Structures are given as C-alpha cells and as structure tokens.
Amino acid sequence: MHRNSDWDKLSEECGIFGIYGAGYENISSSIYYGLTALQHRGQESAGIAAERDGKMRFHKKMGLVREVFDESILDKMEGDVAIGHVRYSTSGESYEINAQPLVVNYRKQSIALAHNGNLINAKSLREELEEKGSIFQTSTDSEVIAYLMARNYRMGLKEAVKATAGQIEGAFALLIICEGKLIGVRDPNGLRPLSVGVMEGGEYVLSSESCAFDLVGARFLRDVLPGEMVIIDENGLESVVYDKRDTKSLCSFEFVYFARPDSVIDGKSVYMSRIEAGRILAKEHPAVADIVMAVPDSGSVAALGYSQESGIPYAQGLIKNKYLGRTFIQPNQKLREQAVKLKLSVVKEVVKGRSVVLVDDSIVRGTTSARIVAMLKDAGAREIHFRVSSPPVTHSCYFGIDTPDERQLVGAVHSLESVKEIIGVDSLGYISPGGLMESIGMDRSGLCGACFSGNYPMEVPSSGGEFLFEKN
Amino acid sequence: MHRNSDWDKLSEECGIFGIYGAGYENISSSIYYGLTALQHRGQESAGIAAERDGKMRFHKKMGLVREVFDESILDKMEGDVAIGHVRYSTSGESYEINAQPLVVNYRKQSIALAHNGNLINAKSLREELEEKGSIFQTSTDSEVIAYLMARNYRMGLKEAVKATAGQIEGAFALLIICEGKLIGVRDPNGLRPLSVGVMEGGEYVLSSESCAFDLVGARFLRDVLPGEMVIIDENGLESVVYDKRDTKSLCSFEFVYFARPDSVIDGKSVYMSRIEAGRILAKEHPAVADIVMAVPDSGSVAALGYSQESGIPYAQGLIKNKYLGRTFIQPNQKLREQAVKLKLSVVKEVVKGRSVVLVDDSIVRGTTSARIVAMLKDAGAREIHFRVSSPPVTHSCYFGIDTPDERQLVGAVHSLESVKEIIGVDSLGYISPGGLMESIGMDRSGLCGACFSGNYPMEVPSSGGEFLFEKN
Amino acid sequence: MHRNSDWDKLSEECGIFGIYGAGYENISSSIYYGLTALQHRGQESAGIAAERDGKMRFHKKMGLVREVFDESILDKMEGDVAIGHVRYSTSGESYEINAQPLVVNYRKQSIALAHNGNLINAKSLREELEEKGSIFQTSTDSEVIAYLMARNYRMGLKEAVKATAGQIEGAFALLIICEGKLIGVRDPNGLRPLSVGVMEGGEYVLSSESCAFDLVGARFLRDVLPGEMVIIDENGLESVVYDKRDTKSLCSFEFVYFARPDSVIDGKSVYMSRIEAGRILAKEHPAVADIVMAVPDSGSVAALGYSQESGIPYAQGLIKNKYLGRTFIQPNQKLREQAVKLKLSVVKEVVKGRSVVLVDDSIVRGTTSARIVAMLKDAGAREIHFRVSSPPVTHSCYFGIDTPDERQLVGAVHSLESVKEIIGVDSLGYISPGGLMESIGMDRSGLCGACFSGNYPMEVPSSGGEFLFEKN
Amino acid sequence: MHRNSDWDKLSEECGIFGIYGAGYENISSSIYYGLTALQHRGQESAGIAAERDGKMRFHKKMGLVREVFDESILDKMEGDVAIGHVRYSTSGESYEINAQPLVVNYRKQSIALAHNGNLINAKSLREELEEKGSIFQTSTDSEVIAYLMARNYRMGLKEAVKATAGQIEGAFALLIICEGKLIGVRDPNGLRPLSVGVMEGGEYVLSSESCAFDLVGARFLRDVLPGEMVIIDENGLESVVYDKRDTKSLCSFEFVYFARPDSVIDGKSVYMSRIEAGRILAKEHPAVADIVMAVPDSGSVAALGYSQESGIPYAQGLIKNKYLGRTFIQPNQKLREQAVKLKLSVVKEVVKGRSVVLVDDSIVRGTTSARIVAMLKDAGAREIHFRVSSPPVTHSCYFGIDTPDERQLVGAVHSLESVKEIIGVDSLGYISPGGLMESIGMDRSGLCGACFSGNYPMEVPSSGGEFLFEKN
Ligand SMILES: Nc1ncnc2c1ncn2[C@@H]1O[C@H](COP(=O)(O)OP(=O)(O)O)[C@@H](O)[C@H]1O
Ligand SMILES: Nc1ncnc2c1ncn2[C@@H]1O[C@H](COP(=O)(O)OP(=O)(O)O)[C@@H](O)[C@H]1O
Ligand SMILES: Nc1ncnc2c1ncn2[C@@H]1O[C@H](COP(=O)(O)OP(=O)(O)O)[C@@H](O)[C@H]1O
Ligand SMILES: Nc1ncnc2c1ncn2[C@@H]1O[C@H](COP(=O)(O)OP(=O)(O)O)[C@@H](O)[C@H]1O
Ligand code: SF4
Ligand code: SF4
Ligand code: SF4
Ligand code: SF4
Ligand SMILES: [Mg+2]
Ligand SMILES: [Mg+2]
Ligand SMILES: [Mg+2]
Ligand SMILES: [Mg+2]
C-alpha cells in the first residue's frame, strides 16, 4: 500500500529469503514464492540474486514481487544458491538504486547481500571507509557491510564474515552469497528474526519468517541464534557463534504488528502472542460494551483474544479494501479527509447504536486512529473504547523500523487523557509493558521494547532516528 | 487474483458505477474511487467514460482499476456525467476489446454503456440483428443492447430505453450515458443489484453496491427497483417503471458471496445475512468441536455467526496472502499441488490437535476445498466438520455468474456422502435452501436460487450455461 | 516522427500487407517484416490479424511495428491467412480504437479488414447505415465498409465484395480476410497502389508497395488493377474486375513523396521517376550554382537527377537525425524556433560561401522550408535556389492524404513571388504539372494531380478536406 | 539498431555531453537534446545527472534517449550543472547497472562521471584497488576512475583530477560533476574527441562531437586538447594541462565511421575527410563502371567523393530501413539468411545490368559485405567493384571500440585475393594507410590507426582486446 504521509503505523523495512540447493531446479521461482509470503515486510522494491558456476545473475526493481518478476526473467536466473529481498523504503522518497540484494565484485568474487535491519554505527563506519577511499553508490547499510567484507576478505571467508559481524552494530539479519555458499547472520541481540528450514531433498532455506517455508515445500528447523552465523554449502550447515554475549533483545513489535500471524519466532507463535495480548488487555482494561472489533488486519487477532477473555462478542465492523496498492492514486486535498474511507469502511449494521471495544495494534501519530473513530461515530456507534495491544510508542526505533520523529508520536507528547481526547474515544487503554512481555512469553531481558520504554539494548546516537544517508 | 483453472468459486462478472453532476469537478476521479470499492466484483479490466459538451472521452484496459488509470489519464477525462465498469471475464481467455464501458456513435450521439449481468436472449437478438446487417466487434451483451438502443432511438431517448429494456431478457443492471443524461436500468427480476446515492451537492450516484457511496461522499438513497429505470439530468431524477410484473428474484449469491459485507442490498445488510446464515447453519448442522474457523475472506462472517450460535470459539486458523494478483506467476506442474498454499496458509498452533468446524460460503468443484482440508490435516487437525453457508450448487447460472459446466459441479454429480469423502472431512453440512432464504430475510419468491434449486426465474436455454460469443 | 503542428508535409495514411499460405509457418512474423518495410506509410499504430480454422486472432496498438509486437505475441498468432496495417492518423488526436485491422463478427464469420485510402461518401453511407440502425465504434471508413459487407453478405462472399466495392467511392486499397480467404480490392481509379507478389512455395502476398516483397522471400508478380479485386484461397488467385470504367488516376504523390524509392508502382520505378523529375526540374528551372543538395530523405533522389542534368555537383549538406520518433519530446516555446535543428543539421563546410540549389519534394505550409533556408543562410550559404519536384500544392486531398486547410497552403494563398520571399530564397522553381507527369511516364489521364491542379478524378464534397468522423 | 551477432562493423561505445550554467532553466532538457544528437555513438542506454545546491539527481536506463526520458522525468531534474551519456555496450549482454553517468557519494560530496573510451590499465588498477578493499558494482571503467578520484580527493578537487588523469592509461574523454563544477578531461593521446561550445548566455557546453552544439543554441569554441582538463564554474573556464607530452593519436575511425558528417574534430570536418577519402580511393583504386553507390549511411559521403574524382555518376542503389531499432525482432534461423534484407534493400532499376562501384567505410568480419554483394548480384548487377574507405582492419582496438576477436577479422586472416573471393566481388580496393591520413589531413603522428597498422600509441596488453569485467 502506498503510504500517504499521515498514515499511522510503524513500518517494517525488509524481508529476506535464501535457498542453498546444488542442482536445485527453479531456485529463483522458489525464492519468488518465498518473497511473496514475506511481502508484508516490504512493498517498495524486490530483488533476487542467484549464483551458479561462479556466475551471479540478479534482478531488482521498484514494485511488488509479482510486478518485478515475470516468467522469462525467472527462467534466466538459474542458480545453485539464491537470495531474495523485499524492501520498504524508510525515506519519503525511495530509489531503485537502493533495491537489494546488493551485488558487488571483489577479486574475482561476486558477492550478493540482503539485509534486514539497521546499523547504528553505519555513519561512522561509512566515514571511516570514506577516509580510506571508499565510495558509495547507494544509501543502504548493505554497501557498508559489503566494504567491510571486502576489507576482511583476506582472512578467508568465514573469518571475514565473523570480523564483519563484529564490526557492525545494530540490528541485522543478513543473507550473503559468496564462494557459492549461502551464509546467514543474525545480530548479537537477535533484534530481527531469521529462521532455518529444510526441504525434502535436504536443501536448506533461510527466511525472515517461518510462514514462508510451507509454500516452498520446506519445514521449519530452528531459528538462527542471536550472535550466530550459519554457513551452508555442499557439506551441509555449519554453525559459528561469533558473539557469545547473552544479550537477546528480539523486537517485540514483530509480535505486535510486523510478522504474519502464522509465523513462529524464536519458539513463540505470533498468533498466540496476539491472542494472549488481547486477553491481557481485557484484564488490564476491561470495558462494558456490546461488541469487540478490530482495526483490520493487524488488530484482528488481539481483538479475538479480548473477546474471548471478556466474553463480549467479536464482530467485523470494519472492512479493509484489498485492492489499494503502490500505484493507487491518493485523493487530492478536497478528498483528503476521507482518505481513510478508501482503505477502511464501516459495516453500519454492526456498530449502529452499539457500545464498541475497538482493538488496534498500536497508536503512532494518532491521526488515522482519530479518523477511524470519527467514521464509527458517524455510523452511529454509541461509545468507543479503544484498546491497544502495545504500550504507547514514545521513542524512535534505531533498529530498522521507520518511526516518525518523536515530536510526532502522540504518545510521547501527550498524556493518556489528551490522547483519549485527540482520538475522540470514551476510554483508552494500552497494554502494559509487562503485559506485552507476558503475552509473548519471553521475559523482559529477551525482548526489545525500546520504542515504548526508552531502554535501548545498546547505546544509540543521541540525535534521533533519522536515516543517515538520504542524500542521492 | 489470477484464477487458475481449478479454482473453486462462482465468479462475479461486473461492477458498475456512475455519477451525474453538471459542473462537478474531478468526476472521473470519483468514478475511480467508486470502482476501487467495487473491485471485488471484477478484476480483469476496468474502464471509465465521461461526457461533457457532447464530447465523450473514455479509457479502458485489462488490469485493476489502479493499474488501468493514472493521474494524467484521469485529468484528461472531464465530464458532467460519467460511468465506470469493472469486469471479470467469464471466458478462459479474455480480451481488451471486451472491456467496458462500450462507447458507440449513432447519429451525432455518442452513447456509453456499462452492463452487469447476462442476457439469455442475447444469441437470438444477435442473430436477428445480424440478419438485418449488424456486425459485432466484441462478444459482450452490451453491444447487442447498443444496437437495440440505436434501432429504437427514433422513438426518443426515454421510449428507446424502455423499448430496449423490454426486448432484452435475463439479468441486467445497466448504466447509460446518452444526450448528456445518466440512465440506470434494472431488470424486471432485479437479479443484479443497483442502488442510488446522493451527494451533498445533490449529485446523483448509481452503484452496483452501496459500499461505494461513502468514499465518494455520497449517502445511500434507495435501490433501483426491479423493472425500473431512472433518468438523471439537470432536472433531477425521473423514475419510470417500464415493467410492472411483480417478479422479483434477486440473486441470493450476492448475499452468500459476491457482495461486500458492508453493502446493503434491497434493504438487507449483507453482513447481517451472513451472520444469520452462520447461525442457521449451526442449528441445522451442529457439531461438537473445539473451534470454528473460516476459509477467508468469504467464509469469515458466516463462521462468526456459527460461533455465536454454537458457542464454539471462533479462531483465525487460515491466513490469506494479500499480495497475489493478476500478474502472479502460477506454479508449474511440480509445485501445482501446493498452489493453494500460496493463497492460504495454516496457523498450526490454532488447529493442531483440535476438532475444527470449517465454514466456507460454497462448494463448487470441490477441488480447492479438498486441498484446504488436506492442509489442515497436515497441520494436525483432529477432526474437520465442514459447514457451507449455501446449498449445494447443482445448476448453471444464466444470469451473469460464471459457473463451471454442470458435470464439474461436485454437488450435482455426487451424493452428500461422496462429497464428504472427496473433500475428506469428518462431517459435511450445507445450509438448507429455506435456511438461506431465512437468513436473507426475503421470502423465496423474492430471491433467485436457481443454481441450487434449478428453479430459474424465467425460461432458460436448454443447452447449458456456456457463454455465447467466445469466438474472437 | 512525431509531427509537431507546423511540420510541412503531406501525410500518408496507411500501408497494408497480407499473405495467404495454408500451413505457412510464422505467417505473422512475415507480416511483421512486411509491415516494417511499409512503416514509412504510417507510424502511429500497427496491427495484425491472422486466421486459422475459423479462429481469428488479432493484436493492434499505438506505436511502431517493432513497439507493438514482441515475439510472444507473434508466436500466439498462427494463421493460414493474415493481414497487417500501419496507420498515420489524420486527426490531431489519434485513438487506439481506430487502429486497424478491424475485426468484426457477422453470422458466425469473423471478418478482418485493413484499408488504405479515404472514402468520399463515407459520411452519407454512414448516415444511411445509422438510419437503418447501425452504430459505430470507431471513426474509420473501415467500419463503414464492414457494415456494407455485412449487408451484402447474403449474396455470397464474392458478390458481397463486388457490391460493396461498388457502393463506396473514393480511394481504397483494401485487404479482407473472410471465410479463410484473402481478398484484395483496389478502387476504380487506382488512387492507392496495391501489388501482388508470390513466394517460392506459391503463397500469395499483397502489399501497398513492392519494396516489401523481397524481405519476406517473395517476388513481385503484378499490380492489382484499378477496379479489380483478387480472391486468394487454396485454389489460387482469382481475378474479378468489378468496375470496367477506364478511369485510372494513380496518386502522383506516391512517386513524389510517399512511396519508397525501391518500389515499383503500376510499372514505374519510384526511384527513376524521381531522378527524371530532378532532370526535368533542371531543364525547367536551371540555376547557376556551386552545388546541388537535398532536403533529406525525400528530396535526395530528385536532387541527384537535378545534379546529373545540370552538371552541378551533388553534396550532402543537410544531415537528418535518425533517432527522433513518436515519443521524442518536442521543445517548448523557448526552443521552438530551433525545432527544425533537432531534425536537420547543416554541414557547414559544404554550404559556406556557396551558391546552393536546394531540392525538396514539395512545399505545403512553407514553414519548415523557411526554417531550413534560414539555417543554411546562418551557415554561410551565399545564394539559395529552391527547386521543388512537385507543383505548388493548392487543393485539399480527399483520397487519404492529410492536407492542411487550403488557407494554410502557402502555394494556394500566395503568388510565386511572395512564396519566394516568405521562404527567403534567391530563386524558386516548381516542376510543371506536365513535367511531373512526364517524369512518371504516365499520361495525365492515368494520374491524379488534384492537389495541385484542382481536377479531382471524381466529384468531391464542396466543404473542404476535413476528415469526417473525428468525434470520439 | 539491435546488432545481431554477425553484424559487420566496429562499434562506438559512448557519447558524452555536459552543460554548466548557474540558474540555467531546463538544463536537463538541453542535455536530452544534446544526447539525441549523439545517439549514433551509443544506442543501448542513456542517462543524465544534474546537480543543484549540492543535490544530485540522476536517471539512467536501457534504451534510446527518447525511450529513457519523458517530460515528467526531465522536469524533476533541475540543475546548475548537468552531464549525460549514451552507451553502446561492448559485451554481448549488457546491463542496466552499467548505464552511465555513474553517481557516487564520497564524504558528503556526490560525484557524477560520464566516460567515453577504454582504459588499458583498468584491470590492474582495479586489482590494486581491490587489494586495498574496494568493491565494484559495475563492470565499467568509470567506477575505477571514481575510486581514484576518491583516493586523491584529499589533495583538493583540481589536484585530484590531475592525479587521477595521470594514473589512468588508455582512451578517455571524461565529464565530471563535483563541488558544483563541470570538469572535462581528455586523455594525453586525445584518442577520443571532446569539444567545448558556448551559449549566448555564456554557459559552457562540452560534447563528444560538435554536431550537438547547434541544436542547444551553442556555438563551437574549441577542442579540449590531448592532456588537457577544463574546469568550469561561476568563474568561467579554467584550462589545466595535466600532461605535457606531445603525443596526439586521435582515432582515425572517428573520421571513417563513428562521427557524424556534420561534426568537426580537432579542426577537421568529418564530411570533408570522407569526401577526400573517396577521392583518394578513386585515385588509388580506379574502376571502369557505370555507377558509384554506397552502403548507406556510413559509406555515402566517401562514395560521393569517389564519384567526383572518377566522374562515374553517383546513385542511391541501396535503401536503408529507418525503422529498425533495439526492440526489433531478429528473424529466426529460417529467415536468417535474409536478415540483411530487412536492413537494406536494392533499387533494382539502378543496379540491373550495371557495373557498380560499391563504397563502404570498412570491412570487419566481411559477412555483411558478402550478403550485400549477393543481393546486388541477385538484382542483376553485372560487375561489382568494392572500394573501402579504410585500410583492412587487422588488429583489435583497446581504446573503446568494440572489435571482434582478431581471428574473426577477415582482413587479418585472409589475403586481399581471398577476401575478394569471400565477398564475391570483381575487384576490391582498400584505401592505403597513407591515403587515409592524407584524407584527414593530419600526419601519421597525430592519428591512431592501430586497428589497421598494429602500431598502438601505447603499450597494450598482449592477450587481446576483450573487455575485462564482464562477469556480473
Ligand atoms: N494475510 C494476512 N492475514 C492476516 N494478517 C496479516 C496478513 N498479512 C499480514 N498480516 C498481518 O497484518 C499486518 C498488516 O496489517 P494491516 O492492517 O493489513 O496493515 P496496516 O496496519 O499497515 O494497514 C501485518 O504486519 C501482519 O501482522
Ligand atoms: N475487503 C473485504 N473484507 C472482507 N470481505 C471482503 C472484502 N472484499 C470482499 N469481501 C468479501 O469476500 C469475498 C471474496 O472472498 P475471498 O475469499 O477473498 O475471495 P475468493 O473466495 O474468491 O478467493 C467477496 O465476494 C466479498 O464477499
Ligand atoms: N529508407 C529510406 N531511404 C530513403 N528514402 C526513404 C526511405 N524510407 C522512405 N524514404 C523516402 O523518404 C520519404 C520520407 O522522407 P523524409 O524526408 O525522411 O521524411 P519527411 O520528409 O516526412 O520528414 C518517404 O516517403 C520515401 O519516399
Ligand atoms: N543522420 C545521419 N546522416 C548521415 N550519416 C549519419 C547520420 N548519423 C550518423 N551518420 C553516419 O553514419 C554512420 C552510421 O552508419 P550506418 O550505415 O547508418 O550504420 P551502420 O553502418 O552501423 O549500419 C555514423 O557513424 C555516422 O558516420
Ligand atoms: S525499538 Fe521498538 S520497533 Fe525497534 S526493535 Fe525495539 S521493539 Fe522493535
Ligand atoms: S442462479 Fe444462482 S448465481 Fe445465478 S442469479 Fe440465481 S442465485 Fe444468483
Ligand atoms: S489529390 Fe494529390 S495527394 Fe491526393 S490522391 Fe490526388 S495526387 Fe495524391
Ligand atoms: S585502434 Fe582503430 S578504432 Fe581504436 S582508437 Fe585506434 S584507430 Fe580508432
Ligand atoms: Mg493495521
Ligand atoms: Mg473465499
Ligand atoms: Mg522530407
Ligand atoms: Mg554502414
């Protein structure tokens, strides 16, 4: 979906997917299907790189996976190993040149990289590299990583990856093709998910989310661990723990919003965590109401949980248009007010005269929430009790998630009471940080919640979460 | 979504949308938004025709509304009156030339037509017209209607429309621009829906479904009646009842499957009818189970109703991929078996070890149902109780809905018991015809249910439901 | 080349090409190559229709032949008989819907038509047909012809074509596919060319110009005669003379400008006629000068002839950019003056200080000629003697050639002396009508020269040469 | 034109064009027009980069200039300084990623580069850079140059360019935007041309060929000298001679074939040099014949010279199709033989029964020449005397021109006598090396003629002229 500037969500940045399978036919088609299952993680650009016999082929472009590729392109992309990437650009403008995977050549090697996450030391690394004569053609962290790989390469491939992983800080789930091998790396905090699957023929698959395994005929094996890298080649999968600290901080918003409900991350079902969050929310912020309904699709599962716990019947009072997309023409000024109506519409019979519990996953700017509430009131809702399955977002994310400037975070600059009024609801309840942790079933030390707690799992730059290299 | 040949649904054919508003700015943009809200009624082609000062402009093409139009095209399409159309082609192949609206020139008049439905006497009308020297460039009924209009035109516009409406038989909701007026016609049986809305400025809007009014700033006024035509011009809306028989037969599948839940048709909420159908289904075919879940999206509301009536908790055990589309590459033979997995995937934690009530809107061929059931069993479902919110589809539709040959209708050629086995479920229950009528709240005389009862509201050709002019 | 409004030429409308060859492989590819050789006759749209086993396939679109077709489209267009068309639209705006071939369905027959020329009674025929209930979807004459064919069809195919050819007046070279046969018709005056070729395997080919035969492996057989139709099927070629009047009036501008120099029309080489015209021009309007040069490409051959006769050396003082095209962005106001420089540039070393004979094929508006002359003067030409290988264009063409309104024809509203001044040359000489006829080697009765003589070969409408159906 | 593998010419690689004009409106449009005039130097990709206020915008893609840009793209590309590039890829496959200008970021600077030529030490420079940790995303020399610029940048811009120009060896005409300045550099041998123009407003223009000045309203000022760099900013043009050796070796094939006839290079008119070459050829290899004709377009001017000297009349016996292009579908095997007929066709009336002098600019593989000769013989030519306005091509070019492997150069592996037989002509004559030098009017020391003499102006790698980095 093309996001107009006041859309009201955090934005995921990327999904990555890779397969190692010597002689595997149609490897690029399988990457294509895998990326389709990860499309919710990024809709602006898509790309695939595939290698066979030292020859790297790649194709990447702005657009959805199904728009970027057609059969004739896939047919040309044979490979024994392949990786793919979907991207949601974090800057207002976005450029083809930033599409991934990034393919670089270095000493007779072609290296392909696909990265999900954000490095907090990219800027200083970049400056250092520029000091030493590096030039940059994109504004992606991947290019920084590629340089480090090149500089470390004389150590041999495995040591080079280890050294590189040690130099970069922040969030990264990384897929690399080099020397015909498939390498997966997860950052020491495990901020971004990465899991391993295996096909019937023994081919290994790496994916941002487990929901992509089934449709390529793979089954989930395990998660890549924080601080672990896996190297897959004809000898199978080798695991190297390159960082032994025990500092796990998986992004809790993967459960709240980003990941698909049918994924399992680090052992926890996303669906179940959302049901649980809804239940806890019902306990923490009960309401007297006629129905529970969600802002679809992201609020649906938590709303079900709220309904189960509270006993208030669940209804589908909002319908989401399935046919908007990147190329959808946004309404001009005159029709701007009703932009939200193009995306969501009310089932009047459900809400008319009713007292409604409305569940959404999060409130970021609050603008969209306010418009949805207005729509429901127009449709005759008697009372609206807004329930949010994450705590108030108050801080910028530095780990690969697009957050507005902190001054635009309604939860950061307004009290609960004023947010309630801004949004126009009769009551407002956010899940507590503890409740959210409980819903995920990991304890606080295992999860990142910095965007609502301010407790970043590592030191972050003081100046704010803007992205660093937006120049070209 | 690109339908591969064994997809398992009836297919709607068209949605139509029109606005009359002298001096109304951005009329084509509003048609664009209206069509987006009707996109579920047809995803193969889209088109808009707009007239101002006797000059008709039109643009139509294969693709989704958002793919067919861009801002520069809309900007050029000024008009005081405009109509639009989305189409799902009923033949395996589909052609740009059949896209609508159809624009023809006749004696210094340009006439634009958009048609939802199917004429049962199109073939004989066409032959008659060809006898008299007419030639056809498309295989659409609209071209037949245009010819009749031309032949009747000497009577004056209003009489010509009346005469034409009297000559054609079958299902039709029709929008026409002629002499700068907007005309809407609904067939005497009211098989296809058509409703009237009005904007704040007094502009009239005609739409296949009421769900499209809100987002163009219009509110629902009333339905066009079976056998009624409305003529809208600078003098307002004139109603002409051109057929006084009292023979209403609204398509019951609009409620079961085609229409969006947030639409109201002939006074009845689609959402409420689906809830009701689910409830009745629960009474007619109770089950002992752990959860109720739907085949999304079409089965969701009925599943909720089933859950409410039975008290069995509702869950979202299947996730539907939102990013497939017309240009999505279907898997080749090798992966064909798992095609359904690209569209739907299971939340294993929901179904594992559970006894499941699975609700879908209909069973047509049964192929997809069988695959979904297999997927659920693979995921560990203990028992599956399949419940269907429409009776077994046993007959072809002649009224604008794409049904497979009767020999491919699993409900027509197999007993309930064998269907149960073919699909692989532990129990199978269809709603009764009476139950369905009750859910809609109209009595049997007001609804068409021919595809499950064989009682066609008019005499139909004996040879089968194939479409007539598939030649070019 | 995209023609900006002040470009200074008559514009050809169409080229047509057809093949009959039962079992011939790649028939559509051969049409594609044939059309490429006729591309100079029309660059706005291209189309092909091919029939096999009663199944008509067609594809047409705005653009050059190479832009409209790709291999996958051609591969799908199998046929035993096929026709193609290239079109230069005569109205300022041009529409995809007017692209040809036109395919219509009539009583289980698909008929495909491709037409080069213009009917002078199209308007009255159209009105008559509308009287009888016909409707029109395009503004092409072809649709009128298709209707007449349909109305006459009960007579049997051959008689229907004869009757139709008898009803239409004006200029037409026509290709028709019907009942699996390939039919070619040329108007009784033979205004537009049409010739027959034959391949090694005996397959017949019809083409607007003979230059297209060689590259599909065919050799020239003969021209279709004025008033003749040829019907080609598995029995070979049957000739029917449907009009016995002896009234030949081949368009003399085919020799002057439209046709390719390597074509032979009605027995006369275009190249040789241009050489001859140049020679005669040298005799009629000698000049004392240093060099002879042409406005390329159309003036080149006549310039050679002028050089040969006069003994003044030939030079290439103007270079024409080969890479402009339909999608080339025309310069805005500021750069408008130098628009001609984008198309043509001067070889300064050739013209500097020289007295130049400049040969062009025709002067229409005179605007471009004036700009070219200015360019040459800027480059230092001492004297310019403009020689034109056609007489002054003074009247509109009604036979398929786009001429500006007569008030814009510089030769119609200004004396020779003032044209000389408007264009800014030192002397100006047009070939005489008699000289032109002599160059072609047909006598006056065999050629049309109405646009410079006013003697139309048939009665034409009094109101002017506008095109008739520009409405939609 | 899409070159099929056996096309028979050397291939130019690039054209470059730049403007410096603070506050100049429509700078990118002017680059667009300039590139259109240089399109003959490269038809595979085109690109423009424009800078204003430190913000670099660029757009580049596969295709002709007119295909790559539309008005909305140009409108967005404002700048005070801009450069453009057209490219003919030298490898069989060609990639979007190699399109130029290359834009890199380095220490808060964006640098844009456009390069025409080829570096002979690119491989070793690249290896050295890789040693030091550089990575490469393209296979272009420009990326090597960009790295060197970055490494030298601490010296200050001017010194950095000087140092870089000193490190690279081979052929280069280079345009750079950096720090808002426009920089042009020509290699010490001046192998590739580069000239300076100036507009009325004083804006400077740099162009590969002078033919592009006129149409942007500029006039030719002077050539950039071998070993010179020019730096243009708000203070005007500063000239720096970075290499003082006196070693000029301008590519003689610029005159023979690459450059447009209306260009002047290093003081010599291309047109005049070709006339002269034709004259000398007539003296060196006279023939008794009826007509002189050219293989168009490249042989035309020399043929005119031959005609003038010999007194044998000039004729246009071959017509070249103007509408083939990059997307033209090459004929399949069956029609392969006649591929040349799609491009060229014979005016039979000209050649039939005649003894013909046929002039072409060069013979490379000889395959096309043989086919053209066969075509002429088929058309009835009595005798064919082939005359070539360059000496036999016997060696690979290392300076930016695509030459086949030496074993494919017919002139390298066969005697004159056998080439005559292979091509099938009655006599064959190449201009002598001395004659060619004389035609250009520079002495041997000022021109490169290595591809026919083997005397390279610098030491070249021994292994052959393949391009170095074709990997990705
Ligand atoms: N096919 C799906 N069905 C249900 N939920 C989905 C599906 N795909 C993604 N989701 C979930 O919904 C979220 C997106 O929610 P949605 O409301 O559609 O978008 P947004 O809130 O960005 O407008 C995803 O991050 C994921 O958790
Ligand atoms: N945005 C929406 N939200 C919920 N239901 C919808 C929406 N749009 C359409 N529908 C309903 O879902 C049906 C389509 O169901 P779905 O299951 O998505 O497609 P299919 O069954 O054809 O694969 C529509 O006919 C309509 O009843
Ligand atoms: N390939 C060709 N070579 C030489 N002449 C051609 C060629 N193709 C067409 N012509 C001739 O040139 C005319 C077009 O002339 P040209 O000067 O290029 O166009 P215009 O005058 O419309 O700008 C054609 O009508 C034809 O007579
Ligand atoms: N517009 C033009 N008119 C005449 N000659 C041109 C023109 N443009 C380029 N040329 C010359 O013709 C050469 C291209 O010759 P041509 O025969 O058309 O191509 P090729 O030989 O590659 O098929 C150019 O390199 C240049 O010298
Ligand atoms: S700050 Fe928030 S969004 Fe960012 S990684 Fe942590 S929990 Fe996730
Ligand atoms: S036959 Fe079925 S699908 Fe057709 S109109 Fe009647 S109820 Fe609707
Ligand atoms: S009027 Fe002129 S252009 Fe028209 S057909 Fe006659 S000669 Fe040709
Ligand atoms: S080797 Fe030949 S083509 Fe290359 S630069 Fe020298 S003269 Fe030119
Ligand atoms: Mg949401
Ligand atoms: Mg469904
Ligand atoms: Mg011309
Ligand atoms: Mg050539």
Side-chain angles (χ1 to χ4, degrees), chain D residues 250 252 255-256 268 273 276 435-442 447:
Chain D
L250 174 60
S252 49
F255 292 95
V256 170
K268 181 70 192 182
S273 77
E276 213 47 54
L436 176 58
M437 301 303 156
E438 188 190 332
S439 76
I440 303 174
M442 298 178 188
L447 289 168

Side-chain angles (χ1 to χ4, degrees), chain A residues 161-237:
Chain A
V161 178
K162 279 169 70 171
T164 301
Q167 285 165 294
I168 58 182
E169 287 169 43
F172 51 92
L174 204 59
L175 297 185
I176 301 171
I177 300 177
C178 190
E179 298 181 3
K181 301 176 203 295
L182 172 62
I183 300 163
V185 191
R186 196 167 167 207
D187 70 68
N189 293 290
L191 277 152
R192 296 287 142 233
L194 186 62
S195 52
V196 188
V198 66
M199 295 188 182
E200 280 194 14
E203 298 87 356
Y204 284 99
V205 185
L206 296 173
S207 174
S208 286
E209 289 185 37
S210 64
C211 67
F213 287 142
D214 209 27
L215 77 178
V216 298
R219 63 185 173 73
F220 174 79
L221 198 67
R222 67 171 178 91
D223 292 281
V224 176
L225 300 175
E228 184 192 18
M229 58 183 269
V230 296
I231 303 176
I232 304 168
D233 60 16
E234 69 276 20
N235 303 317
L237 182 152

Side-chain angles (χ1 to χ4, degrees), chain A residues 203-273:
Chain A
E203 298 87 356
Y204 284 99
V205 185
L206 296 173
S207 174
S208 286
E209 289 185 37
S210 64
C211 67
F213 287 142
D214 209 27
L215 77 178
V216 298
R219 63 185 173 73
F220 174 79
L221 198 67
R222 67 171 178 91
D223 292 281
V224 176
L225 300 175
E228 184 192 18
M229 58 183 269
V230 296
I231 303 176
I232 304 168
D233 60 16
E234 69 276 20
N235 303 317
L237 182 152
E238 178 189 6
S239 162
V240 178
V241 178
Y242 70 90
D243 185 301
K244 301 207 157 66
R245 276 173 299 168
D246 198 11
T247 51
K248 193 163 163 237
S249 311
L250 173 61
C251 169
S252 49
F253 261 87
E254 291 284 350
F255 293 95
V256 170
Y257 175 65
F258 304 133
R260 251 175 52 175
D262 51 333
S263 287
V264 173
I265 304 177
D266 288 354
K268 180 70 192 181
S269 155
V270 173
Y271 183 92
M272 286 309 175
S273 77

Side-chain angles (χ1 to χ4, degrees), chain C residues 322, chain D residues 7 9 257 295-299 320 343-344 360-361:
Chain C
K322 304 188 266 195
Chain D
W7 195 247
K9 290 285 158 188
Y257 174 66
V295 180
D297 292 327
S298 43
K320 186 170 174 187
K343 191 168 176 182
L344 292 170
D360 203 355
D361 57 278

